[in-house]
Amino acid sequence: MNEQYQHRARKRFGQNFLHDAGVIDRILRAIHAREGERLLEIGPGQGALTEGLLDSGAQLDVIELDKDLVPLLHQRFDNRGNFSLHQGDALKFDFNRLGASPRSLRVVGNLPYNISTPLIFHLLSNAALIRDMHFMLQKEVVERLAAGPGGGDWGRLSIMVQYHCRVEHLFNVGPGAFNPPPKVDSAIVRLVPHDTLPHPAKDARALERVVREAFNQRRKTLRNTLKALLPAAAIEAAQVDGSLRPEQLDLAAFVRLADQLADQPTAP
Ligand code: SAM
């Protein structure tokens, strides 16, 4: 690499660069990109994943926030006909700009941990464009994404993501695969937006509201935490036992509660 572009990792951009060739290869094999596909990489950094993604022959757009990495990325990849760079904040990026057809975009990223949850929510608001997503995240976050009801990991993140997507925890990655090494373990997750929602809510905002209220105080019963939103009769009409705690309810039960909320006169 050209000396001129030696880059020092920046903490405020969540920069932990992948350097383990075995891990990079395993991620690329899990994504399995093909010629003709549309890929979007969030936070390419110095290009650890970018190179293999371009080798697949797929059309790749990348969004990188750090202006100092832009010359390095141009230098490395501008000679490829399938590379487009957007400098900016992925949290503010309008994915419709890419002109991808519905359900075509394959999103990839070794994400900065501080933006991973808001970024996933931003992407889910564009779920109709997306075929699948592969992310490196903090392992605890992947465990929450993939959790089922009944345990401490089941919460707002699990429910809102599983409302839109099938979630697969693919494999874990230790700190040694990165430079500098993060203080936490990481994992690769695959999120695949459902073609048809398995439990469609009348109003997704009502679901968001019920779930947020219920998990604000996860030790309390639903009857208590949802008091301001739903009368006891509405909880009963949703066929939910109000003496339960939120972590005991599955997605379908939360959707029934949300539909009751959507039917309230002041909803949602
Ligand atoms: N993909 C590279 C790798 O695996 O080595 C870099 C991963 S590093 C964990 C995260 C990257 O995301 C950094 O390059 C960082 O500058 C970039 N980044 C941070 N916040 C961002 C944002 N809001 N939008 C786009 N890129 C961002």
Side-chain angles (χ1 to χ4, degrees):
M1 199 180 298
N2 189 325
E3 279 291 311
Q4 188 184 345
Y5 295 130
Q6 282 292 328
H7 180 82
R8 176 127 30 115
R10 293 218 171 81
K11 214 171 172 178
R12 77 188 157 99
F13 292 136
Q15 291 179 347
N16 300 97
F17 298 117
L18 267 171
H19 70 91
D20 181 322
V23 170
I24 292 169
D25 189 53
R26 201 165 169 205
I27 297 170
L28 292 170
R29 275 188 286 124
I31 299 167
H32 197 65
R34 306 281 190 94
E35 195 170 345
E37 291 180 342
R38 288 294 307 264
L39 305 183
L40 170 66
E41 186 185 6
I42 313 243
Q46 299 177 312
L49 295 169
T50 317
E51 173 138 35
L53 293 173
L54 287 167
D55 286 345
S56 72
Q59 184 62 41
L60 175 68
D61 287 84
V62 303
I63 308 173
E64 175 53 61
L65 180 61
D66 185 351
K67 288 194 176 86
D68 289 352
L69 286 168
V70 166
L72 177 149
L73 288 164
H74 277 308
Q75 191 206 25
R76 268 191 88 178
F77 302 121
D78 272 358
N79 61 344
R80 311 276 197 130
N82 51 344
F83 175 72
S84 293
L85 172 62
H86 310 263
Q87 192 276 320
D89 184 348
L91 289 172
K92 298 188 184 138
F93 192 81
D94 175 7
F95 301 107
N96 292 303
R97 268 177 61 186
L98 300 173
S101 42
R103 293 252 169 276
S104 70
L105 203 56
R106 307 195 67 203
V107 186
V108 177
N110 170 12
L111 297 185
Y113 297 136
N114 53 337
I115 69 156
S116 57
T117 306
L119 185 65
I120 289 172
F121 280 104
H122 181 42
L123 285 160
L124 288 179
S125 66
N126 293 274
L129 278 180
I130 297 173
R131 184 175 125 195
D132 59 21
M133 302 176 256
H134 290 81
F135 295 129
M136 172 91 77
L137 300 171
Q138 195 171 335
K139 187 168 132 242
E140 280 69 24
V141 175
V142 172
E143 284 166 351
R144 284 198 275 138
L145 287 170
D153 286 335
W154 179 244
R156 175 173 173 252
L157 187 63
S158 343
I159 294 168
M160 295 314 298
V161 170
Q162 290 178 31
Y163 178 74
H164 292 282
C165 299
R166 176 165 60 80
V167 179
E168 285 174 69
H169 178 162
L170 295 182
F171 54 89
N172 297 336
V173 179
F178 304 86
N179 189 11
K183 291 197 176 69
V184 293
D185 281 329
S186 304
I188 298 286
V189 69
R190 175 184 290 143
L191 307 177
V192 185
H194 300 298
D195 285 329
T196 313
L197 295 179
H199 305 287
K202 288 181 182 167
D203 182 343
R205 287 171 311 162
L207 178 65
E208 174 77 54
R209 183 117 191 255
V210 164
V211 170
R212 191 175 326 112
E213 286 293 322
F215 282 97
N216 256 343
Q217 294 170 294
R218 60 186 302 143
R219 302 258 135 245
K220 290 200 173 169
T221 65
L222 292 158
R223 192 183 296 128
N224 244 307
T225 49
L226 297 183
K227 207 160 41 194
L229 291 183
L230 289 170
I235 297 181
E236 204 174 303
Q239 296 166 330
V240 168
D241 175 353
S243 68
L244 295 178
R245 290 181 182 164
E247 66 191 37
Q248 295 171 281
L249 254 52
D250 63 9
L251 170 60
F254 275 110
V255 170
R256 292 199 302 276
L257 287 170
D259 287 350
Q260 288 294 324
L261 175 60
D263 287 343
Q264 300 293 304
T266 53

